[in-house]
């Protein structure tokens, strides 16, 4: 269903909860958008460009934002959703625009690292977990919340990717890793919702207070073209069929409820689909 992107402030309230968008970095994606969405037509690209013109660079490249979101209930502790690309030596350094600036973004928002009590990683791709890696992280006491399916996938792939050795094992040794199998309440008004497909353990975060709600989408969708045409396959989805099912279900629920979407990579940080 077509949507409308509104230029909203970088802070969005959901009842007593405040959600703050924190942009770690921005830059071109190494693959072209045509390679990433090979089935998209020229007409579909034109519609997506009209919806989110900021996602297309001056040379036609796919321009991404790399965002995390801080969620605070009243003046209580903060839940951070995703941890950006990290510093210059992070796992994402071979392709993403490092260094990221998440610590500075938090400081500008008036959030001290010690106030972050939990970090929900929507998935373990390296542009979402950089500042959660213990060797680089300013969040020394926060629990880090992931899905078992992603832990299993990166354990099996540990010889080819660094997530298990640099993130999972050190967090396990420190007793700070919380591993889930499905949906789970994080704290008052904040709930993890399993949305597998992009990775086996991809999860989103639903923020709700009464009739008001917001969904932090992670890579459930990465481009405005998926808001308009959720059936389009994305080349980086590990299981495109499951990803489509998760995306279609979440977007239908968002339309039905009037849920605001907090998006990782699109131009505007907040979006409401109608």
């Amino acid at each position: 269903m077509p949507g409308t992107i509104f230029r909203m402030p970088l802070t969005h309230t959901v009842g007593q909860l405040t959600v703050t968008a924190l942009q770690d970095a921005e830059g071109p994606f190494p693959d072209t958008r045509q390679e990433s969405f090979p089935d998209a037509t020229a007409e579909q690209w034109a519609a997506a460009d009209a919806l989110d013109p900021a996602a297309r660079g001056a040379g036609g490249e796919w321009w991404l934002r790399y965002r995390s979101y801080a969620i605070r209930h009243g003046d209580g502790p903060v839940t951070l959703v995703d941890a950006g690309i990290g510093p210059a030596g992070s796992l994402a350094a071979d392709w993403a625009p490092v260094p990221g600036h998440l610590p500075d973004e938090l400081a500008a928002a008036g959030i001290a690292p010690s106030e972050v009590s939990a970090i929900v990683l929507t998935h373990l791709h390296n542009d979402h977990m950089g500042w959660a890696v213990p060797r680089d992280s300013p969040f020394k006491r926060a629990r880090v919340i992931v899905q078992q399916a992603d832990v299993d996938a990166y354990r099996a792939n540990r010889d080819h990717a660094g997530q298990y050795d640099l993130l999972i094992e050190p967090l396990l040794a420190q007793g700070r890793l919380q591993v889930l199998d499905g949906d789970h309440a994080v704290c008052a008004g904040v709930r993890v919702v399993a949305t597998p497909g992009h990775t086996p353990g991809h999860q989103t975060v639903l923020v709700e207070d009464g009739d008001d709600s917001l969904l932090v989408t992670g890579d459930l969708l990465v481009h405005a073209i998926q808001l308009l045409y959720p059936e389009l396959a994305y080349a980086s989805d590990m299981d495109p069929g499951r990803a489509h099912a998760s995306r279609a279900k979440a977007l239908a629920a968002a339309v039905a409820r009037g849920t605001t979407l907090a998006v990782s990579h699109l131009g505007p940080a907040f979006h409401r689909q109608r």
Side-chain angles (χ1 to χ4, degrees), residues 8 40 63 104 122 133 155 212:
M8 292 180 166
W63 196 265
D104 294 334
T122 60
V133 171
R155 182 190 293 115
D212 200 4

Side-chain angles (χ1 to χ4, degrees), residues 1-270:
M1 178 178 292
T4 302
I5 287 183
F6 296 93
R7 296 290 176 178
M8 292 180 166
L10 294 183
T11 297
H12 185 77
T13 58
V14 180
Q16 298 184 60
L17 295 111
T18 301
V19 182
T20 302
L22 306 162
Q23 185 165 301
D24 195 39
E26 65 177 278
F29 194 63
D31 298 332
T32 69
R33 60 188 200 168
Q34 289 80 10
E35 291 170 327
S36 298
F37 297 94
D39 298 329
T41 67
E43 291 77 15
Q44 289 171 331
W45 282 121
D49 289 342
L51 182 59
D52 184 13
R56 185 173 186 178
E61 67 274 29
W62 181 13
W63 196 265
L64 273 71
R65 279 72 183 170
Y66 298 85
R67 292 194 189 92
S68 302
Y69 288 87
I71 306 167
R72 191 195 291 269
H73 192 289
D75 58 358
V78 171
T79 297
L80 187 66
V81 183
D82 283 336
I85 58 178
S90 71
L91 285 173
D94 62 343
W95 69 273
V98 295
H101 304 285
L102 181 59
D104 294 334
E105 289 278 296
L106 281 165
I111 299 171
S114 59
E115 295 182 275
V116 177
S117 62
I119 303 171
V120 179
L121 298 180
T122 60
H123 61 297
L124 297 186
H125 282 164
N126 57 28
D127 58 322
H128 289 258
M129 38 71 73
W131 293 106
V133 171
R135 71 176 188 187
D136 301 322
S137 181
F139 315 111
K140 301 302 184 184
R141 292 179 291 179
R143 59 186 165 125
V144 178
I145 303 170
V146 299
Q147 289 284 330
Q148 183 70 57
D150 263 19
V151 172
D152 292 344
Y154 280 93
R155 182 190 293 115
N157 195 38
R158 67 187 302 173
D159 292 339
H160 304 285
Q163 279 87 331
Y164 197 84
D165 291 341
L166 292 181
L167 178 77
I168 300 300
E169 278 200 332
L171 288 172
L172 282 169
Q174 295 173 13
R176 294 199 292 122
L177 189 71
Q178 182 177 359
V179 181
L180 308 179
D181 186 11
D183 298 359
H184 184 80
V186 176
C187 59
V190 180
R191 181 162 59 92
V192 164
V193 180
T195 47
H198 182 64
T199 65
H202 189 278
Q203 56 188 358
T204 52
V205 177
L206 182 63
V207 181
E208 51 190 348
D209 188 348
D211 293 332
D212 200 4
S213 59
L214 175 146
L215 184 71
V216 185
T217 62
D219 280 4
L220 184 72
L221 55 93
V222 297
H223 193 284
I225 202 165
Q226 295 172 292
L227 289 167
L228 298 169
Y229 312 101
E231 71 280 3
L232 283 175
Y234 173 41
S236 294
D237 285 339
M238 296 176 70
D239 186 333
R242 293 188 80 190
H244 170 223
S246 292
R247 184 165 51 252
K249 180 179 179 181
L251 292 179
V255 170
R257 190 175 178 183
T259 298
T260 296
L261 304 179
V263 292
S264 295
H265 299 303
L266 278 66
F270 299 105

